[in-house]
Amino acid sequence: MGKPTANSTATASAELLSRVRESVQSVIRGKDEVVQLALVALFARGHLLIEDVPGVGKTTLSHSLARSFDCTFQRIQFTSDMLPSDVIGISIFNQQTESFEFRPGPVFASIVLADEINRTTPKTQSALLEAMNEFQVTVDSHTYPLPQPFMVVATQNPVEHHGTYPLPESQLDRFLMRLRIGYPPAESEKEILKNFADAEPLAQIEPVMGAEEVVQMQRTVRRVTVDDQLVDYTLAIVEKTREHEYLSLGVSPRGSMSLYRAAQALAFLEGRAYCIPDDFKRLVVAVFAHRILVSSRYV
């Protein structure tokens, strides 16, 4: 048999991606755009922050995304008394070997659900910074690589709710996108009530794609063509956020890189090997909104 052609590989990838979308959408009804953007974050090798009121499916979206891939998964339920070692792990002295042994924490998984991340203290929140930025963890001067793919899906309640600690700007900047799910349309909510009232929808999800396939697609995303005019277009938007009188904090270089990578991933998910202006327009709010601050003079 001959080697698979580029067209056959692209067709197989499109079929897998379609099955992943259908898998997640079978649980998250009426929110196709949210599901698409969550997949964009994964294939752009980014992290996702989902912020909304309780009960709209933040955790369910994270679970359904993780279950659709045959990857390791860990959930961390953040609380006010959690310590950094509860997240990244700890070195324990082994009396038999008379040496310290590292016990990995729940962050050592391909998809990590950081549930209600803003309910823990800033010290514990910062335990994720190195992992999210460098895909590694350093404990007692030893560096441990994280599995690939690696993605943090964090959920948080709006800061006006009691018992929350707002994420600092340095941590917000590590998230590729921030999404809000919102309430489902009336027809979708009716469907949810009829189909899932007496069933566990997550139990019906079967893995569609393995870890190696995800990593391969992430590599393919990086080869998506972005015209220089689109790069200039992105940088012009970024420059305006830094100069605008209404904003005290503009988009960082990490933010402009995030939009670039996200646009590549969106083009890939749409079946294109090149980006178009609409890719950037569709993503700019989700990628930039959490990276800017309105000046206190205009609040």
Side-chain angles (χ1 to χ4, degrees):
M1 294 179 66
K3 294 182 179 179
T5 65
N7 285 339
S8 65
T9 302
T11 301
S13 297
E15 290 174 356
L16 279 175
L17 292 172
S18 178
R19 288 170 57 196
V20 169
R21 281 195 204 92
E22 292 172 2
S23 176
V24 180
Q25 289 170 358
S26 68
V27 177
I28 307 298
R29 299 297 180 91
K31 295 293 176 180
D32 295 354
E33 180 69 4
V34 172
V35 172
Q36 180 79 328
L37 293 181
L39 293 173
V40 165
L42 173 66
F43 290 110
R45 296 188 76 224
H47 308 289
L48 183 63
L49 177 63
I50 308 173
E51 180 185 81
D52 218 320
V53 296
V56 294
K58 301 188 299 295
T59 304
T60 302
L61 173 61
S62 310
H63 266 298
S64 59
L65 187 66
R67 284 175 177 262
S68 297
F69 300 98
D70 190 14
C71 304
T72 54
F73 170 73
Q74 288 283 356
R75 173 179 177 173
I76 309 172
Q77 183 64 53
F78 282 93
T79 57
S80 59
D81 59 350
M82 182 170 281
L83 300 174
S85 58
D86 296 326
V87 177
I88 62 176
I90 191 171
S91 293
I92 298 176
F93 185 74
N94 187 325
Q95 293 184 342
Q96 293 180 342
T97 61
E98 296 185 349
S99 62
F100 283 93
E101 295 180 354
F102 178 63
R103 301 289 177 86
V107 75
F108 284 85
S110 285
I111 297 182
V112 178
L113 170 57
D115 214 1
E116 295 188 312
I117 190 173
N118 61 333
R119 288 203 176 277
T120 195
T121 60
K123 182 178 182 180
T124 304
Q125 291 174 2
S126 66
L128 285 171
L129 285 176
E130 182 185 13
M132 294 173 66
N133 198 50
E134 301 175 34
F135 301 95
Q136 65 182 31
V137 167
T138 302
V139 179
D140 296 334
S141 301
H142 293 282
T143 299
Y144 304 92
L146 294 169
Q148 293 299 320
F150 175 73
M151 179 186 187
V152 173
V153 181
T155 70
Q156 71 169 8
N157 297 325
V159 293
E160 61 265 27
H161 282 70
H162 295 295
T164 58
Y165 300 84
L167 290 172
E169 286 74 22
S170 59
Q171 181 123 15
L172 283 172
D173 203 35
R174 260 71 173 188
F175 287 100
L176 184 84
M177 286 189 288
R178 181 180 66 180
L179 302 180
R180 289 186 171 89
I181 297 178
Y183 296 111
E187 281 301 313
S188 296
E189 190 162 6
K190 181 179 180 181
E191 210 174 312
I192 293 169
L193 292 175
K194 290 174 63 178
N195 296 339
F196 300 148
D198 298 321
E200 177 50 59
L202 290 171
Q204 303 170 13
I205 295 181
E206 296 291 336
V208 175
M209 193 182 300
E212 185 54 43
E213 290 168 303
V214 175
V215 171
Q216 185 59 46
M217 288 187 181
Q218 288 176 336
R219 292 179 186 142
T220 303
V221 163
R222 293 194 167 197
R223 297 196 293 269
V224 171
T225 303
V226 183
D227 190 87
D228 279 350
Q229 289 185 332
L230 291 177
V231 176
D232 294 337
Y233 176 58
T234 300
L235 294 177
I237 298 173
V238 169
E239 191 62 30
K240 288 296 182 182
T241 68
R242 298 170 183 171
E243 297 174 347
H244 204 287
E245 61 175 333
Y246 285 4
L247 302 178
S248 60
L249 178 67
V251 175
S252 66
R254 184 186 287 117
S256 56
M257 177 59 72
S258 295
L259 182 59
Y260 184 98
R261 290 187 358 238
Q264 287 180 304
L266 180 58
F268 171 74
L269 288 168
E270 297 285 338
R272 286 181 276 105
Y274 56 89
C275 288
I276 59 176
D278 282 349
D279 295 331
F280 290 83
K281 293 177 184 178
R282 186 171 163 188
L283 293 164
V284 69
V285 174
V287 177
F288 281 178
H290 62 289
R291 304 176 193 271
I292 60 177
L293 281 180
V294 178
S295 175
S296 58
R297 291 178 297 172
Y298 300 98
V299 175

